[in-house]
Amino acid sequence: MPFPDIDPIAFQFSVFGFTLALRWYALAYIVGIVAGWRVAAMVTRRDALWGGPSPVTPKHLEDFVTWAILGIILGGRLGYVLFYQPGYFLSNPADILRVWDGGMSFHGGFIGMGVAIVAFAMRSGIPILSLADIIGLVAPIGLLLGRVANFVNAELWGRPTDMLWGVAFPGARAQTCPDFWPLAPGAPCLRHPSQLYEAGLEGIVLFGALLLAVWGFKALRRPGLVTGMFFIGYGLARTFVEFFRQGDAQYISAGNPFGQVIRFGDSAWAGLSMGQILSLPMIAVGIAFVLWSRRKA
């Protein structure tokens, strides 16, 4: 199917001769943080979910928003620099600040958010795991919106496919299918809309599972359980979708068309991408959190 003609700029206006534009990706960050904050505040007001007064108050969350923004942006950018293109940025350190050119890592943002949670909780005298559980519960909202914004921006698309829902993303790179994919002469290169796969799994499915755990099984009464479930759920979803997602350009070569960082063979399934390598420790840590929460129950 053809890529929908969506302008990556949500809206723009001019002030004193300067044009100010708000892109869908930036809007996704803003709406995700605000929506997550409001849902989190609602959870802190439900004492029944905690088995007593919530150890985190709406005022704590209001103060934490700034910490969260800094953690996501700084961690996401530094993670991209260190995990994906360290050589380039070592040679061009000034480009690290050029966040408007793109280049953010979820795993880096995740680490940055973790640092923000620990620092804020210690400064405010609130339980670290309780704050982490609340943030883990609402994080899929931002993931959902961010992945939809990736689709709107026609970036991070998937591998070539002949499925009915394959999308002909615009641009020379997206329309340059590797030699191993047989195409009829003149046919467009259709790719998996892997951004939407991730939006569905990391966003909708994971959020639904965490809501069920919190409201149906009172998971917040066991500090660390929701955090562990988020780690496991995201790690599994990202690991699975990476098999349909185009590898990072810096790892793709004629001999490595899938962009796998670790290879066990020539198959698309016989190797690990950088996203998968970074997700596997998340799954292990998530399992540890779940087991630890059972001991504290």
Side-chain angles (χ1 to χ4, degrees):
M1 64 179 67
F3 182 77
D5 186 16
I6 305 175
D7 191 333
I9 298 177
F11 58 86
Q12 61 183 3
F13 54 92
S14 297
V15 179
F16 303 116
F18 294 96
T19 299
L20 303 177
L22 181 64
R23 294 180 174 272
W24 288 107
Y25 195 73
L27 188 61
Y29 268 84
I30 295 170
V31 174
I33 290 172
V34 173
W37 167 37
R38 300 312 303 162
V39 173
M42 179 182 65
V43 170
T44 62
R45 296 189 180 99
R46 302 291 194 277
D47 290 344
L49 297 177
W50 301 87
S54 169
V56 182
T57 67
K59 182 61 170 62
H60 286 137
L61 295 175
E62 182 179 340
D63 294 339
F64 179 68
V65 168
T66 302
W67 293 62
I69 293 173
L70 291 174
I72 292 171
I73 295 177
L74 294 178
R77 183 57 174 175
L78 292 177
Y80 180 80
V81 169
L82 296 174
F83 298 149
Y84 291 93
Q85 296 198 51
Y88 171 81
F89 287 106
L90 184 63
S91 302
N92 303 273
D95 287 356
I96 295 176
L97 302 178
R98 297 176 62 87
V99 294
W100 54 87
D101 288 338
M104 296 285 282
S105 162
F106 165 80
H107 295 91
F110 167 78
I111 295 173
M113 176 65 83
V115 172
I117 289 172
V118 172
F120 181 83
M122 294 179 65
R123 181 177 182 272
S124 304
I126 59 179
I128 294 174
L129 286 181
S130 294
L131 178 59
D133 283 343
I134 295 176
I135 303 305
L137 170 63
V138 301
I141 299 174
L143 292 174
L144 167 63
L145 296 174
R147 294 311 183 189
V148 171
N150 289 147
F151 180 81
V152 170
N153 287 346
E155 60 188 4
L156 305 181
W157 17 259
R159 295 172 178 171
T161 181
D162 59 356
M163 296 295 184
L164 294 176
W165 56 85
V167 176
F169 289 97
R173 285 186 56 234
Q175 284 303 307
T176 303
C177 281
D179 294 337
F180 59 84
W181 190 259
L183 284 178
C189 176
L190 303 181
R191 294 181 176 274
H192 285 285
S194 55
Q195 315 97 319
L196 301 184
Y197 299 172
E198 291 187 86
L201 290 176
E202 301 169 7
I204 298 173
V205 174
L206 182 54
F207 187 48
L210 294 177
L211 283 178
L212 178 62
V214 168
W215 258 268
F217 298 96
K218 305 297 187 290
L220 289 174
R221 298 182 184 184
R222 290 165 49 183
L225 178 57
V226 175
T227 301
M229 290 181 64
F230 171 76
F231 284 10
I232 295 171
Y234 176 85
L236 291 175
R238 179 66 181 271
T239 299
F240 175 72
V241 174
E242 283 285 315
F243 286 114
F244 303 94
R245 180 171 160 175
Q246 182 73 4
D248 297 292
Q250 60 269 31
Y251 299 119
I252 294 177
S253 65
N256 184 21
F258 300 105
Q260 296 159 330
V261 179
I262 298 177
R263 304 183 69 196
F264 308 109
D266 295 329
S267 168
W269 298 86
L272 296 175
S273 68
M274 179 58 76
Q276 290 170 320
I277 292 173
L278 295 174
S279 294
L280 292 177
M282 285 188 65
I283 298 173
V285 172
I287 294 173
F289 269 110
V290 170
L291 295 177
W292 189 87
S293 71
R294 289 172 59 92
R295 295 181 58 186
K296 296 295 181 179

